[in-house]
Amino acid sequence: MCIIGGFIFDVKSSLIFIVVFKFLRSYTGGYHFQNSNMCLLFSTLIMLLAIYLSHILLTLTTITMFLTLFSTVTILYLAPVNHPNLSWNEKEYEYAHRQMVIRLCFILLCIVLFNTFAISPFYYNLLSISLFFVSLTVILAKLLKQEVTPHEQY
């Protein structure tokens, strides 16, 4: 993914997307493809789209702020998604939820700091759009009912 992103855009942007997306998605859960090739293909396409949109939205901070708010509310309300491949018990689900909230807060803090100190509108956008794509995977998993209820551990 990073190599392709580096050829089309730049390695730094690709790495930032991958780290932020994986950092949060590992505890939000979300849609899962049946095979790893489709997962890799769509993850790469999402990364490229996120980097592209980050360039497009440089002057449209209101849209970026809306995406951040929408994504935050969606993730807090719908996540984590307990995918059948994970099949968390109650304790694991609660742990995933706590980790998800901590990681979400960290990303939001980075977004606020990037925006406040004008570090780079591009990276502020990239963090926000990465958050948005995580929220879309959560929504898709919920819509397609890719979830099991947490079970009690015996």
Side-chain angles (χ1 to χ4, degrees), residues 48-152:
L48 295 173
L49 183 59
I51 296 169
Y52 175 74
L53 289 173
S54 297
H55 287 289
I56 298 289
L57 296 176
L58 281 175
T59 58
L60 303 170
T61 54
T62 306
I63 292 173
T64 306
M65 288 171 37
F66 172 77
L67 290 176
T68 304
L69 179 62
F70 171 82
S71 303
T72 301
V73 170
T74 300
I75 290 168
L76 288 174
Y77 183 71
L78 296 177
V81 174
N82 190 9
H83 190 271
N85 292 350
L86 301 171
S87 193
W88 292 320
N89 62 39
E90 287 284 339
K91 198 171 187 178
E92 292 167 328
Y93 185 85
E94 289 171 11
Y95 176 78
H97 187 269
R98 281 192 307 275
Q99 287 298 310
M100 176 201 72
V101 170
I102 290 167
R103 289 169 182 230
L104 178 61
C105 288
F106 178 76
I107 293 169
L108 291 172
L109 177 64
C110 290
I111 289 171
V112 168
L113 291 174
F114 278 32
N115 194 30
T116 303
F117 296 109
I119 293 174
S120 169
F122 171 76
Y123 294 115
Y124 159 74
N125 287 349
L126 186 57
L127 292 177
S128 296
I129 292 168
S130 299
L131 193 63
F132 176 68
F133 280 116
V134 169
S135 72
L136 290 182
T137 68
V138 169
I139 291 169
L140 192 56
K142 291 285 188 173
L143 288 174
L144 297 175
K145 300 188 186 321
Q146 276 195 343
E147 183 173 38
V148 294
T149 57
H151 59 277
E152 290 186 29

Side-chain angles (χ1 to χ4, degrees), residues 13-25 107:
S13 301
S14 302
L15 278 174
I16 289 171
F17 173 83
I18 292 167
V19 168
V20 171
F21 189 82
K22 182 68 177 156
F23 178 70
L24 186 57
R25 194 173 186 290
I107 293 169

